[in-house]
Amino acid sequence: MRLDEPAWWYREPPSGMATLLQPVAALYGWAATALYWRATPYRSRLPVICVGNFTVGGTGKTPLVLYLCERLKAAGHEPVAFTRGYGGRLSGPYWVNAKSDVARDVGDEALLLAKAVPTLVARDRRAGAQAIETGPHSVTVIVMDDGLQNPGLAKDLALAVVDGSVGLGNGRVMPAGPLRAPLAFQLELTDAIVVNERNAGEGGRIGCILEMAPVLIEQTDVDGHGGESKEDTEC
């Protein structure tokens, strides 16, 4: 559990507070789903890979984005990382300079990504994709850090990262739990699930719930980079 999240989000069975907030969570989940399906996403001329997650907070998305960009470059592609710049004040579209920019402007993740590949910050995903298409860098593929539930940009491949130490918590939508939207809806948006196996088997609600999509187990090395993955075939 991360320090800025309620401990009761990760209790089974759900706590009294989670039950009390369930009506609000149901309304929030309905709104998130409705807004997504009513939107018209922008279809980039470039392929778009999205690395997102089902829950609020960090699950290891950025290390996986770095790993994918490394593999894409090794295969001859020219990837660009695309992030909203969480924690930064700039709304973008803005190309990150790893040598001169600071975290208060673009966010920590954007600086980390920019050390490896060209990185663009934009809170408006449509505007960001268009800036990448017309930008100064040669690019063959966009790799998004977060944005699974954002309807502004169509994705060609969507991966959801799950923190293997806490899983999906109590399985409820915020504020009753850590989910960003109803799980069934989020699974519709997802092509594969990557479980960050820091403490394998300890996370709640991973097992049979996540058999609804292909599941990979990501071994994370000491530097925080995604290592070799293996397919999880057990429930």
Side-chain angles (χ1 to χ4, degrees):
M1 184 195 71
R2 292 162 287 276
L3 296 178
D4 58 345
E5 297 174 352
W8 49 265
W9 273 5
Y10 298 93
R11 290 177 188 161
E12 289 280 9
S15 68
M17 182 62 73
T19 301
L20 180 65
L21 291 172
Q22 183 55 33
V24 181
L27 181 61
Y28 182 91
W30 173 84
T33 304
L35 287 172
Y36 186 93
W37 292 126
R38 290 176 183 174
T40 302
Y42 173 70
R43 169 63 67 179
S44 174
R45 62 176 176 80
L46 298 167
V48 176
I49 300 173
C50 175
V51 178
N53 61 341
F54 297 137
T55 58
V56 297
T59 56
K61 297 184 298 294
T62 301
L64 182 55
V65 170
L66 286 168
Y67 175 73
L68 290 174
C69 288
E70 290 172 1
R71 295 297 295 266
L72 286 165
K73 287 194 293 183
H77 287 282
E78 297 177 289
V80 161
F82 180 17
T83 175
R84 72 181 298 272
Y86 179 79
R89 65 179 181 85
L90 297 181
S91 59
Y94 177 78
W95 288 102
V96 180
N97 187 320
K99 295 181 179 179
S100 60
D101 284 323
V102 293
R104 68 174 178 271
D105 289 332
V106 299
D108 292 324
E109 291 87 354
L111 285 177
L112 184 62
L113 291 166
K115 293 177 181 179
V117 293
T119 299
L120 183 118
V121 164
R123 294 178 185 173
D124 184 323
R125 304 308 168 98
R126 175 190 295 264
Q130 292 171 337
I132 292 172
E133 292 170 350
T134 59
H137 299 283
S138 177
V139 53
T140 61
V141 56
I142 298 172
V143 184
M144 294 177 64
D145 187 341
D146 208 2
L148 176 66
Q149 302 83 3
N150 188 295
L153 180 60
K155 293 92 175 174
D156 297 287
L157 176 66
L159 307 176
V161 182
V162 175
D163 184 338
S165 65
V166 296
L168 304 179
N170 61 15
R172 300 198 176 191
V173 176
M174 59 182 189
L179 292 180
R180 296 184 177 198
L183 181 60
F185 158 68
Q186 297 194 79
L187 285 168
E188 289 186 62
L189 312 179
T190 305
D191 296 300
I193 297 164
V194 180
V195 179
N196 191 348
E197 194 183 25
R198 286 184 285 183
N199 293 293
E202 295 184 10
R205 293 178 178 262
I206 288 181
C208 292
I209 293 178
L210 299 187
E211 72 175 352
M212 299 172 69
V215 178
L216 301 175
I217 304 297
E218 179 190 19
Q219 304 287 357
T220 304
D221 64 28
V222 293
D223 295 322
H225 288 78
E228 293 301 319
S229 299
K230 59 182 180 180
E231 186 171 359
D232 181 16
T233 57
E234 296 182 0
C235 172

Short mmCIF file of all heavy atoms in Angstrom, two decimals, residues 67 194-198 200 216-222 224-230:
data_model
loop_
_atom_site.label_atom_id
_atom_site.label_comp_id
_atom_site.label_asym_id
_atom_site.label_seq_id
_atom_site.Cartn_x
_atom_site.Cartn_y
_atom_site.Cartn_z
N TYR A 67 11.32 -0.03 -20.58
CA TYR A 67 11.70 -1.35 -21.09
C TYR A 67 11.17 -1.56 -22.50
O TYR A 67 11.88 -2.02 -23.40
CB TYR A 67 11.16 -2.43 -20.16
CG TYR A 67 11.39 -3.83 -20.63
CD1 TYR A 67 12.67 -4.40 -20.60
CD2 TYR A 67 10.34 -4.61 -21.10
CE1 TYR A 67 12.89 -5.69 -21.03
CE2 TYR A 67 10.55 -5.90 -21.53
CZ TYR A 67 11.82 -6.44 -21.48
OH TYR A 67 12.03 -7.73 -21.93
N VAL A 194 -0.09 -6.90 -16.99
CA VAL A 194 1.27 -7.18 -16.52
C VAL A 194 1.27 -7.06 -15.00
O VAL A 194 0.98 -5.98 -14.46
CB VAL A 194 2.29 -6.21 -17.13
CG1 VAL A 194 3.70 -6.51 -16.63
CG2 VAL A 194 2.25 -6.28 -18.65
N VAL A 195 1.59 -8.15 -14.31
CA VAL A 195 1.66 -8.13 -12.85
C VAL A 195 3.10 -7.91 -12.44
O VAL A 195 3.98 -8.72 -12.76
CB VAL A 195 1.12 -9.45 -12.25
CG1 VAL A 195 1.24 -9.41 -10.72
CG2 VAL A 195 -0.33 -9.67 -12.65
N ASN A 196 3.33 -6.81 -11.75
CA ASN A 196 4.65 -6.49 -11.25
C ASN A 196 4.89 -7.34 -10.00
O ASN A 196 4.40 -7.03 -8.92
CB ASN A 196 4.73 -4.99 -10.92
CG ASN A 196 6.13 -4.52 -10.64
OD1 ASN A 196 7.04 -5.32 -10.48
ND2 ASN A 196 6.29 -3.21 -10.58
N GLU A 197 5.65 -8.41 -10.15
CA GLU A 197 5.72 -9.46 -9.14
C GLU A 197 6.77 -9.16 -8.07
O GLU A 197 7.76 -9.85 -7.90
CB GLU A 197 6.06 -10.80 -9.80
CG GLU A 197 5.83 -11.99 -8.91
CD GLU A 197 6.25 -13.27 -9.60
OE1 GLU A 197 7.10 -13.22 -10.50
OE2 GLU A 197 5.72 -14.32 -9.24
N ARG A 198 6.51 -8.11 -7.30
CA ARG A 198 7.44 -7.79 -6.22
C ARG A 198 7.25 -8.73 -5.03
O ARG A 198 8.19 -9.11 -4.37
CB ARG A 198 7.24 -6.34 -5.77
CG ARG A 198 7.80 -5.34 -6.78
CD ARG A 198 7.68 -3.94 -6.29
NE ARG A 198 6.30 -3.46 -6.38
CZ ARG A 198 5.93 -2.23 -6.07
NH1 ARG A 198 6.82 -1.36 -5.63
NH2 ARG A 198 4.69 -1.85 -6.19
N ALA A 200 5.06 -11.90 -5.03
CA ALA A 200 4.12 -12.73 -5.77
C ALA A 200 3.13 -13.42 -4.85
O ALA A 200 3.49 -13.97 -3.82
CB ALA A 200 4.87 -13.77 -6.58
N LEU A 216 0.73 -11.43 -17.78
CA LEU A 216 2.17 -11.62 -17.76
C LEU A 216 2.69 -11.27 -16.38
O LEU A 216 2.15 -10.39 -15.71
CB LEU A 216 2.86 -10.74 -18.80
CG LEU A 216 2.45 -10.93 -20.26
CD1 LEU A 216 3.15 -9.89 -21.12
CD2 LEU A 216 2.79 -12.33 -20.74
N ILE A 217 3.72 -11.98 -15.93
CA ILE A 217 4.38 -11.67 -14.67
C ILE A 217 5.67 -10.95 -15.00
O ILE A 217 6.53 -11.49 -15.69
CB ILE A 217 4.68 -12.93 -13.85
CG1 ILE A 217 3.40 -13.74 -13.61
CG2 ILE A 217 5.33 -12.56 -12.53
CD1 ILE A 217 2.35 -13.01 -12.81
N GLU A 218 5.81 -9.73 -14.51
CA GLU A 218 7.00 -8.93 -14.80
C GLU A 218 7.97 -9.03 -13.63
O GLU A 218 7.63 -8.68 -12.50
CB GLU A 218 6.63 -7.46 -15.03
CG GLU A 218 7.85 -6.60 -15.31
CD GLU A 218 7.51 -5.12 -15.29
OE1 GLU A 218 6.48 -4.76 -14.73
OE2 GLU A 218 8.31 -4.34 -15.81
N GLN A 219 9.17 -9.49 -13.90
CA GLN A 219 10.22 -9.51 -12.90
C GLN A 219 10.94 -8.17 -12.94
O GLN A 219 11.52 -7.82 -13.97
CB GLN A 219 11.21 -10.65 -13.19
CG GLN A 219 10.57 -12.02 -13.30
CD GLN A 219 10.12 -12.57 -11.95
OE1 GLN A 219 10.35 -11.96 -10.93
NE2 GLN A 219 9.50 -13.73 -11.97
N THR A 220 10.91 -7.41 -11.85
CA THR A 220 11.53 -6.10 -11.81
C THR A 220 12.90 -6.19 -11.16
O THR A 220 13.03 -6.69 -10.06
CB THR A 220 10.65 -5.10 -11.03
OG1 THR A 220 9.36 -5.08 -11.61
CG2 THR A 220 11.25 -3.71 -11.04
N ASP A 221 13.93 -5.67 -11.85
CA ASP A 221 15.27 -5.76 -11.29
C ASP A 221 15.52 -4.64 -10.29
O ASP A 221 14.68 -3.79 -10.05
CB ASP A 221 16.33 -5.77 -12.41
CG ASP A 221 16.35 -4.48 -13.22
OD1 ASP A 221 15.98 -3.43 -12.67
OD2 ASP A 221 16.72 -4.53 -14.41
N VAL A 222 16.70 -4.61 -9.71
CA VAL A 222 17.00 -3.69 -8.63
C VAL A 222 17.02 -2.24 -9.09
O VAL A 222 16.90 -1.32 -8.29
CB VAL A 222 18.35 -4.03 -7.97
CG1 VAL A 222 18.27 -5.35 -7.26
CG2 VAL A 222 19.48 -4.05 -9.01
N GLY A 224 14.80 -1.00 -11.07
CA GLY A 224 13.44 -0.59 -11.37
C GLY A 224 13.03 -0.81 -12.80
O GLY A 224 11.95 -0.42 -13.21
N HIS A 225 13.91 -1.42 -13.62
CA HIS A 225 13.56 -1.68 -15.02
C HIS A 225 12.88 -3.04 -15.12
O HIS A 225 13.24 -3.98 -14.44
CB HIS A 225 14.81 -1.68 -15.90
CG HIS A 225 15.37 -0.32 -16.10
ND1 HIS A 225 16.11 0.32 -15.14
CD2 HIS A 225 15.28 0.54 -17.15
CE1 HIS A 225 16.48 1.51 -15.59
NE2 HIS A 225 15.98 1.67 -16.80
N GLY A 226 11.91 -3.10 -16.01
CA GLY A 226 11.23 -4.36 -16.25
C GLY A 226 12.18 -5.37 -16.82
O GLY A 226 12.94 -5.08 -17.73
N GLY A 227 12.15 -6.58 -16.30
CA GLY A 227 13.00 -7.63 -16.82
C GLY A 227 12.20 -8.60 -17.65
O GLY A 227 11.20 -8.25 -18.24
N GLU A 228 12.66 -9.83 -17.68
CA GLU A 228 11.97 -10.82 -18.49
C GLU A 228 10.59 -11.10 -17.94
O GLU A 228 10.37 -11.09 -16.73
CB GLU A 228 12.79 -12.13 -18.51
CG GLU A 228 14.12 -11.99 -19.24
CD GLU A 228 13.93 -11.55 -20.68
OE1 GLU A 228 13.00 -12.06 -21.33
OE2 GLU A 228 14.72 -10.72 -21.16
N SER A 229 9.67 -11.37 -18.83
CA SER A 229 8.30 -11.66 -18.43
C SER A 229 7.94 -13.07 -18.80
O SER A 229 8.52 -13.67 -19.68
CB SER A 229 7.32 -10.68 -19.14
OG SER A 229 7.59 -9.36 -18.77
N LYS A 230 6.97 -13.61 -18.07
CA LYS A 230 6.48 -14.94 -18.38
C LYS A 230 4.96 -14.93 -18.28
O LYS A 230 4.38 -14.16 -17.53
CB LYS A 230 7.05 -15.95 -17.38
CG LYS A 230 6.71 -15.67 -15.92
CD LYS A 230 7.35 -16.67 -14.98
CE LYS A 230 7.00 -16.36 -13.53
NZ LYS A 230 7.60 -17.32 -12.59
#
